[in-house]
C-alpha cells in the first residue's frame, strides 16, 4: 500500500485496530497520529496518511 495514501478516520481506525471513537478522542487530546483536514469547510473529513499511522505505532511501541 502506498505510504502516502490517505485514509478517513474510520479507515485509519480499522487499519490500527481501534474504534473510530477512540481515534476521535485521541485526535481531540493530541495523543493520536498526525492528521489533517481535507479541505477548508467545517465538515471536511479528517484524514490520515498511512506513513503517519505507521510512525505513530512505532512511537507507541517505544513507550
Amino acid at each position: 500500500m502506498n505510504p502516502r495514501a490517505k485514509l478517513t478516520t474510520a479507515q485509519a481506525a480499522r487499519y490500527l485496530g481501534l474504534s473510530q471513537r477512540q481515534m476521535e478522542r485521541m485526535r481531540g487530546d493530541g495523543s493520536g497520529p498526525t492528521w489533517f483536514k481535507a479541505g477548508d469547510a467545517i465538515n471536511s473529513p479528517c484524514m490520515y496518511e498511512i506513513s503517519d499511522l505507521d510512525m505513530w505505532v512505532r512511537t507507541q511501541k517505544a513507550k
Side-chain angles (χ1 to χ4, degrees):
M1 190 178 276
N2 179 355
R4 302 273 302 164
K6 298 352 177 225
L7 302 178
T8 64
T9 301
Q11 292 168 327
R14 211 171 309 119
Y15 183 81
L16 296 174
L18 303 172
S19 72
Q20 186 171 341
R21 182 67 187 124
Q22 189 172 3
M23 293 290 291
E24 292 164 353
R25 272 192 230 112
M26 290 189 306
R27 190 169 61 232
D29 68 18
S31 66
T34 302
W35 60 278
F36 63 95
K37 290 288 263 183
D40 294 331
I42 190 118
N43 61 345
S44 295
C46 296
M47 304 292 289
Y48 298 84
E49 281 192 2
I50 290 178
S51 60
D52 290 333
L53 298 175
D54 292 340
M55 186 183 327
W56 180 79
V57 167
R58 282 192 298 278
T59 64
Q60 299 308 298
K61 286 182 179 180
K63 289 183 179 181

